[in-house]
Amino acid sequence: MGIEEKLPSGVLLTTVEGVAGYMRKASFWPATFGLACCAIEMMTSGGPKYDLARFGMEVFRASPRQADLMIVAGRVSQKMAPVLRQIYDQMPEPKWVLAMGVCASSGGMFNNYAIVQGVDHVVPVDMYLPGCPPRPEMLIDAILKLHDQVQQTKLGPNRAAEVEERENAALQALPTSEMKGLLR
């Protein structure tokens, strides 16, 4: 006989992390960081046909200090990488990153010295969205999957340890140019 059986009907039990996760997932404010053709698909997803406002994302923020989700849409050049990192550092915690498109995820067809071969070499990425360019439906699906991930996010010192671990893994990632196997 547990406590659930002794409570009157209509009483819910949960944790603070559960409530905070539910509120966070329902109020994403994305930062605008469109770099190439994927940005057009990202803008389309905010329009009336796809309507990201259904998920609490009606306003794309121009200031990183008001955003908690960075959607990196398109290829990142070597010159743009420090700017991307600076904008990421200016975002308040908790923050999430979605790499939209194959160029942001792995450099895409641009395998040269000017393009960063995956934005995860610059910032830790929470969700990868493939495609060239990915459709707005795919972006909405990735955001919904990110919602599930955010709802399970820890709070306080547990979150800090989780973020530090992901950051170290991203910084120690092997560059694509040094990878062996089917890539070359």
Side-chain angles (χ1 to χ4, degrees):
M1 181 176 234
I3 192 169
E4 295 87 9
E5 296 170 2
K6 294 184 179 183
L7 290 173
S9 130
V11 174
L12 297 175
L13 297 176
T14 187
T15 62
V16 173
E17 282 185 347
V19 171
Y22 181 78
M23 296 303 167
R24 282 184 184 157
K25 86 169 193 167
S27 63
F28 269 155
W29 284 5
T32 54
F33 205 82
L35 298 168
C37 45
C38 291
I40 296 168
E41 300 294 326
M42 179 177 65
M43 290 181 250
T44 303
S45 65
K49 183 174 181 182
Y50 299 102
D51 195 21
L52 274 176
R54 294 178 290 167
F55 310 110
M57 298 179 60
E58 55 269 344
V59 180
F60 278 84
R61 297 292 169 184
S63 170
R65 290 175 179 85
Q66 298 174 347
D68 55 4
L69 171 65
M70 176 185 282
I71 302 175
V72 182
R75 59 190 177 271
V76 179
S77 66
Q78 295 290 350
K79 280 187 167 184
M80 188 56 77
V83 176
L84 173 75
R85 183 61 198 209
Q86 182 179 12
I87 290 174
Y88 176 80
D89 290 338
Q90 289 176 354
M91 291 170 60
E93 286 288 344
K95 52 190 168 187
W96 295 275
V97 177
L98 193 150
M100 181 178 178
V102 71
C103 294
S105 299
S106 65
M109 65 194 96
F110 304 101
N111 189 10
N112 60 34
Y113 65 92
I115 302 298
V116 175
Q117 299 299 306
V119 75
D120 55 349
H121 293 289
V122 183
V123 295
V125 176
D126 297 290
M127 183 70 61
Y128 294 93
L129 176 58
C132 183
R135 299 278 308 141
E137 297 94 343
M138 295 171 67
L139 176 59
I140 291 172
D141 182 56
I143 289 170
L144 291 177
K145 288 178 182 172
L146 192 58
H147 278 182
D148 296 337
Q149 186 177 336
V150 167
Q151 191 163 3
Q152 306 303 323
T153 302
K154 303 193 180 313
L155 293 176
N158 298 334
R159 169 76 178 156
E162 184 182 43
V163 167
E164 185 177 342
E165 179 182 319
R166 282 190 11 241
E167 183 84 14
N168 289 336
L171 292 174
Q172 294 173 0
L174 188 65
T176 341
S177 60
E178 295 177 14
M179 291 182 178
K180 304 284 189 243
L182 297 175
L183 290 174
R184 298 242 173 221

